[in-house]
Amino acid sequence: MALIQLQGLTKQFGGLTAVNDVDFEIEKGKITAIIGPNGAGKSTFFNLISGFHKPTSGTILFEGKDITKTPAHIGARLGIARTFQSTNLFEQASVIDNVIVGHRLRTQSKLFDAIFRTKREKREEKEAYDRAMEVLDFVGLVDLANLKVSIISQEAKKRVAIALALATDPKVVFLDEPAAGINPEETDGLAVLMKKIAQSGITVCTIEHKMQMIMGLADRIMVLNYGAKIAEGTPDEIKNNPTVIEAYLGGETVAETY
Ligand code: ADP
Ligand code: MG
């Protein structure tokens, strides 16, 4: 069953068409990967679905409901969570505080609400702490909960970013290059975590350049090139698709595929 349905999704920045007339469905409970060369429109595609950008045209249905014009904080409440390509954590705060504050920032419209705690929020504080610990346990970071983010490894930061997304109790998480800049062994560890997320019932949609990882992980892959969908299918279908090989897999990007 489709959790998210996209029809004619298009985003223009001035004269540039970053996402061009994309029709696609994201299946519930599955792992979907978006691949394509740099500048293909992958991050923009995520920004549209998660409400950080408004589409120029096209529609976005979430559980059959039109959310095309829904802003990001409402999308987060509906169950759409994401991580960003460059991990934007509070480096001087602890891991657990990042998860707690990040949760507030994502689900509330006003910075004021997120930073200054109301009486009700103080009552809810214990609950937020417990939930954050649960999520840190899920991503394997309980032991680092009280450490400053600035001193933890790059791989642990990636896991914190995923924990932030999971803390909002999402139905779907969008991960923008979660394994960028980490070594092959750590990449395998993140793949295991993504499978665990999907098995827990949360739909996973990821952007990744590491082909070996994606081919072993994704249920379904969509390939973007110059903003347009040039292919979609199972990993085997994508690997053997001549258009994809020419545009992406066969070219210079092979060097990036660990
Ligand atoms: P990818 O994630 O596949 O590398 P992006 O979605 O980041 O690609 O970018 C697609 C194209 O849209 C690029 O040409 C990029 O320069 C442009 N772009 C992305 N975001 C913006 C923006 N906020 N304003 C103007 N152009 C943008
Ligand atoms: Mg990107």
Side-chain angles (χ1 to χ4, degrees):
M1 199 193 93
L3 181 68
I4 294 174
Q5 293 162 285
L6 309 165
Q7 293 152 356
L9 197 64
T10 298
K11 179 65 179 180
Q12 289 168 341
F13 294 111
L16 177 96
T17 306
V19 173
N20 192 358
D21 199 19
V22 172
D23 294 328
F24 191 58
E25 293 195 347
I26 296 170
E27 294 289 314
K28 198 171 178 167
K30 297 275 167 66
I31 300 178
T32 299
I34 313 298
I35 66 172
N38 284 329
K42 305 180 299 294
S43 294
T44 303
F45 179 76
F46 273 21
N47 284 333
L48 293 173
I49 302 173
S50 54
F52 286 87
H53 285 147
K54 282 211 178 74
T56 306
S57 57
T59 53
I60 305 168
L61 303 182
F62 178 67
E63 297 182 317
K65 198 171 142 251
D66 192 333
I67 59 153
T68 311
K69 292 185 177 131
T70 302
H73 68 278
I74 303 289
R77 286 183 211 166
L78 292 174
I80 301 171
R82 66 166 297 180
T83 66
F84 290 86
Q85 195 165 353
S86 50
T87 331
N88 50 350
L89 302 170
F90 300 108
E91 294 276 329
Q92 295 310 312
S94 68
V95 167
I96 185 140
D97 283 348
N98 265 270
V99 178
I100 292 170
V101 173
H103 171 254
R104 291 207 187 106
L105 284 172
R106 276 165 179 72
T107 52
Q108 295 176 4
S109 53
K110 298 192 208 93
L111 191 63
F112 181 88
D113 293 339
I115 291 172
F116 299 96
R117 289 168 292 135
T118 62
K119 263 188 196 160
R120 188 168 59 91
E121 279 174 0
K122 276 182 187 158
R123 277 204 304 275
E124 287 168 357
E125 194 172 70
K126 168 94 171 62
E127 214 173 293
Y129 177 88
D130 291 346
R131 176 67 191 136
M133 278 309 261
E134 246 174 61
V135 172
L136 287 175
D137 184 36
F138 186 90
V139 303
L141 288 182
V142 157
D143 294 345
L144 307 189
N146 295 307
L147 296 184
K148 247 191 207 179
V149 165
S150 59
I151 66 161
I152 68 175
S153 70
Q154 190 59 29
E155 190 245 357
K157 287 182 190 180
K158 304 274 180 191
R159 287 176 186 261
V160 177
I162 293 172
L164 280 170
L166 294 178
T168 58
D169 289 322
K171 292 177 179 163
V172 54
V173 287
F174 287 89
L175 308 173
D176 197 344
E177 301 198 24
I182 61 174
N183 71 36
E185 196 182 311
E186 294 168 334
T187 299
D188 290 345
L190 274 192
V192 170
L193 176 58
M194 285 197 247
K195 278 194 180 139
K196 187 174 159 189
I197 294 170
Q199 275 158 10
S200 80
I202 299 170
T203 303
V204 175
C205 191
T206 185
I207 295 172
E208 194 49 68
H209 284 294
K210 295 181 175 175
M211 282 311 123
Q212 192 178 321
M213 175 203 203
I214 282 309
M215 293 300 174
L217 181 69
D219 296 301
R220 209 162 174 80
I221 298 175
M222 173 174 80
V223 189
L224 283 180
N225 196 33
Y226 295 108
K229 178 178 84 176
I230 59 167
E232 67 170 288
T234 63
D236 277 339
E237 287 165 352
I238 295 299
K239 256 187 267 183
N240 298 308
N241 182 311
T243 313
V244 177
I245 292 168
E246 188 177 342
Y248 185 50
L249 295 179
E252 56 191 351
T253 47
V254 158
E256 292 178 38
T257 61
Y258 100 69

